[in-house]
């Protein structure tokens, strides 16, 4: 149904829709400007949304892409718990993975927006807090065995009732987190963003009326569904299966299988994950909300950017995720390091979609944002550096992969070196691209990112690493080569050098150096078909070596990046 069929002229519809988009963007800006922790303020590990009275997402602002499908699950859980019992000035809080949340650091705040005693919308902000307790600083453990060990679990609760804070709840939180100042600061940023969303939406409603706002929201949902169905219908009907393997169970056990069968039937798409490995006794399990979000994200990524990011997009998508598996663990499975599975799940779905829509899908990315945590005490006070190292995108049918950028499933940034060194007891000794790490191809994958830190905490520190693809490199497409695996090294180049596992928690002394190199992403198309001038440009930029240019791309490039056309032609005819 069009806007005009709903009794709303297109101009008014467009103005209101863009007004909603602006509200969400302003909410995101408030979070960035007021958050306390670098994790939210600088790495941008948060997302914002506006939902209709039923809790369906109608606008998603700038933020983490892989939160796209998780927020609606959390909102549904919160509204179900407080159905018919919300009042103006209320604010709800949630972080429990088994009540619609993700992992415990991801705290969701929701405020209902009332106009004349009627709920017209909900403002929602999810943010990754630096610490919510548990046995590991940063609350992203890789070695926990149950969710109980991972931090404070908050079911859907009232944080504010009619504008009055629940001081008992806040006191309980304060006693269970290592950095209450950062927690409260980020919580205030979330609440402030939600209250701003309320203010702006009330202004829109005051100008155009609640009925017009409701119609606009319904139009957005319907348009998303209609456009998504059209995109799916353009993909050939069929069944497309792909599998990928995790290095291990999170602590050195056997490889774990991720398997998906994508079925296209007309304008409906189903992803069936039957065959995926059972949940494991470590913390890499992915809660259903996070897995569902990876599914939505992968499908959304191959569609037109013009489709509004609303819950209407989800309507033609269906997911079969057997309980008790890596992607739908049963309570009380540990889920703190869910990113190991969640990011790779997106790659697995991309692998199936590459068969269905080969000209829309990239080769595999670096396999997921690496996260390392340095927990220490400085002058008797806790210090927690929780840093996400972004990597690379895979080669695309029309362009190279991107170097040094957040995973396709994320929208984050690396921490600025100056910020890290001035805030935490570490020294960043290296930061740059890793040459010759790309997956070669007609369109190459992005390079890995290299970062080395030295720990300066006088009493040493707890170092935890969450990473993937230590053994199994990102895959290429249509003749493109694999990328490279990640590296985790303690004290590189020193007599006590030690290769670490992909996921590990250990105590290290002052002066220890830690090197991480993210995987290089997969390539697209045969490397020998890559334009020689592009190969030469990469040599000039120091991204690949002349030797790699010759041996892999079959291109004769001098040390200073000049193409020998005759020699290249000869190499490519051999």
């Amino acid at each position: 149904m069009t806007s005009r069929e709903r009794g709303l002229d297109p101009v008014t519809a467009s103005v209101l829709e863009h007004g909603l988009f602006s509200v969400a963007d302003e909410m995101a800006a408030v979070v960035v400007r007021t958050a306390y922790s670098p994790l939210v303020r600088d790495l941008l590990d948060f997302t914002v949304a506006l939902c209709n009275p039923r809790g369906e997402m109608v606008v998603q602002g700038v933020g983490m892409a892989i939160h796209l499908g998780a927020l609606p699950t959390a909102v549904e859980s919160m509204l179900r718990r407080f159905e018919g019992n919300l009042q103006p000035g209320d604010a709800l809080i949630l972080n429990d993975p088994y009540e619609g949340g993700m992992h415990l650091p991801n705290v969701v705040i929701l405020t209902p927006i009332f106009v004349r005693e009627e709920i017209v919308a909900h403002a929602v902000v999810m943010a990754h807090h630096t610490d919510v307790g548990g046995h590991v600083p940063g609350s992203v453990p890789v070695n926990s065995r149950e969710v109980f060990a991972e931090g404070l679990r908050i079911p859907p609760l009232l944080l504010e009732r009619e504008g009055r804070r629940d001081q008992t709840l806040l006191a309980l939180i304060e006693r269970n987190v290592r950095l209450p100042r950062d927690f409260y600061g980020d919580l205030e940023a979330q609440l402030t963003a939600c209250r701003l969303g309320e203010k702006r939406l009330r202004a829109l409603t005051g100008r155009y009326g609640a009925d017009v706002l409701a119609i606009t929201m319904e139009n957005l949902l319907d348009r998303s569904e209609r456009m998504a169905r059209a995109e799916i219908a353009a993909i050939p009907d069929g069944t497309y299966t792909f599998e990928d393997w995790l290095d291990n169970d999170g602590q050195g056990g056997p490889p774990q299988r991720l398997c998906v069968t994508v079925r296209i039937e007309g304008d409906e798409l189903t992803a069936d994950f039957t065959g995926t490995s059972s949940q494991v006794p470590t913390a890499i399990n992915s809660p259903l909300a996070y897995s569902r979000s990876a599914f939505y994200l992968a499908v959304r990524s191959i569609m037109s950017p013009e489709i509004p990011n609303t819950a209407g997009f989800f309507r033609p998508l269906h997911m079969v995720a057997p309980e008790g598996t890596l992607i739908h663990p049963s309570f009380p499975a540990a889920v703190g390091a869910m990113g190991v599975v969640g990011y790779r799940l997106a790659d697995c779905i991309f692998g199936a979609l590459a068969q269905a829509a080969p000209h829309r899908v990239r080769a595999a990315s670096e396999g997921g944002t690496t996260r390392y945590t340095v927990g220490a005490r400085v002058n008797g006070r806790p210090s927690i550096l929780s840093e996400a190292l972004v990597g690379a995108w895979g080669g695309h049918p029309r362009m190279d992969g991107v170097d040094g950028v957040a995973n396709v499933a994320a929208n984050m940034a690396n921490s600025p070196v100056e910020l890290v060194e001035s805030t935490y007891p570490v020294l960043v000794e290296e930061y740059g691209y890793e040459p010759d790490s790309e997956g070669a191809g007609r369109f190459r994958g992005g390079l890995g990112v290299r970062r080395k830190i030295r720990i300066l905490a006088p009493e040493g520190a707890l170092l935890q690493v969450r990473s993937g693809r230590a053994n199994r490199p990102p895959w290429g497409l249509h003749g493109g080569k694999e990328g490279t695996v990640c590296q985790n090294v303690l004290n590189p180049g020193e007599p006590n050098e030690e290769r670490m596992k992909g996921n590990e928690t250990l105590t290290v002394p002052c002066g220890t150096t830690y090197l991480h190199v993210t995987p290089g992403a997969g390539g697209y198309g045969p490397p020998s078909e890559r334009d020689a001038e592009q190969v030469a440009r990469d040599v000039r930029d120091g991204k690949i070596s002349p030797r790699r240019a010759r041996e892999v791309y079959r291109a004769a490039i001098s040390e200073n990046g000049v193409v020998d056309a005759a020699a290249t032609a000869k190499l490519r005819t051999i």
Side-chain angles (χ1 to χ4, degrees), residues 455-467:
I455 293 171
L456 304 179
E459 300 176 10
L462 184 142
L463 173 64
Q464 178 180 270
V465 178
R466 185 206 76 187
S467 65

Side-chain angles (χ1 to χ4, degrees), residues 133-157:
H135 75 288
V136 174
S139 311
V140 187
V142 297
N143 59 351
S144 55
R145 295 296 185 267
E146 291 182 325
V147 70
F148 301 114
E150 296 181 339
L152 186 65
R153 288 172 55 220
I154 306 172
L157 292 175

Side-chain angles (χ1 to χ4, degrees), residues 344-366:
R344 291 290 294 283
L345 185 63
D347 274 353
C348 190
I349 300 165
F350 279 129
L353 294 175
Q355 303 167 40
H359 301 299
R360 302 188 191 183
V361 180
R362 293 179 178 274
S365 68
E366 89 291 341

Side-chain angles (χ1 to χ4, degrees), residues 271-538:
D272 187 342
F273 297 92
T274 303
T276 293
S277 292
S278 299
Q279 67 189 60
V280 294
T282 63
I284 67 172
N285 302 293
S286 174
L288 181 60
Y290 195 60
S291 300
R292 184 180 290 129
S293 192
F295 165 44
Y296 292 151
L297 164 100
V299 177
R300 179 68 183 86
S301 295
I302 70 166
M303 293 185 173
S304 167
E306 300 302 320
I307 301 177
N309 287 327
T310 79
F313 166 78
F314 306 150
R315 293 171 181 170
L317 304 181
H318 312 283
M319 181 176 181
V320 179
E323 188 172 0
T325 61
L326 276 170
I327 66 165
H328 185 187
S330 299
F331 179 81
V335 296
M338 64 179 187
V340 173
V341 168
Y343 284 109
R344 291 290 294 283
L345 185 63
D347 274 353
C348 190
I349 300 165
F350 279 129
L353 294 175
Q355 303 167 40
H359 301 299
R360 302 188 191 183
V361 180
R362 293 179 178 274
S365 68
E366 89 291 341
T369 301
T370 293
R371 186 178 293 277
Y372 75 84
T373 303
V374 177
R377 296 194 73 83
V378 179
N379 298 322
R381 300 173 62 86
S383 169
I384 303 174
L385 167 60
S386 183
E387 185 170 21
L389 295 181
V390 303
W393 290 9
H396 186 273
R398 297 185 302 277
M399 65 193 79
D400 286 346
V402 186
D403 309 312
V405 69
N407 186 278
V408 174
N411 188 29
M412 303 172 70
N414 278 352
S415 300
V417 171
E418 296 82 2
L419 171 72
V420 170
E421 293 183 336
S422 64
T423 308
Y424 304 100
V426 300
L427 175 69
V428 180
E429 296 188 342
E430 295 182 28
Y431 181 41
Y433 294 134
E434 180 75 356
D436 291 347
S437 61
E438 89 296 351
R442 181 189 313 121
F443 297 107
R444 65 166 178 80
L447 274 70
V449 172
R450 180 184 187 91
R451 196 167 177 109
K452 185 172 79 169
I453 64 167
R454 182 176 296 274
I455 293 171
L456 304 179
E459 300 176 10
L462 184 142
L463 173 64
Q464 178 180 270
V465 178
R466 185 206 76 187
S467 65
R469 293 202 182 278
N471 301 323
R472 298 173 181 271
W475 38 265
L477 281 176
H478 306 294
K481 300 298 183 183
E482 295 177 337
T484 50
V485 296
C486 78
Q487 300 177 48
N488 290 289
V489 188
L490 282 181
N491 303 308
E494 300 178 26
N496 58 341
E497 176 177 313
E498 178 184 345
R499 291 277 170 173
M500 300 174 63
K501 302 172 185 176
N503 298 285
E504 194 165 353
T505 303
L506 66 164
T507 301
V508 297
C510 180
T512 299
T513 56
Y514 164 62
L515 169 68
H516 180 78
V517 181
T518 66
Y524 190 102
S528 60
E529 295 181 4
R530 182 168 177 78
D531 182 81
E533 289 295 339
Q534 290 181 314
V535 179
R537 181 195 61 197
D538 285 340

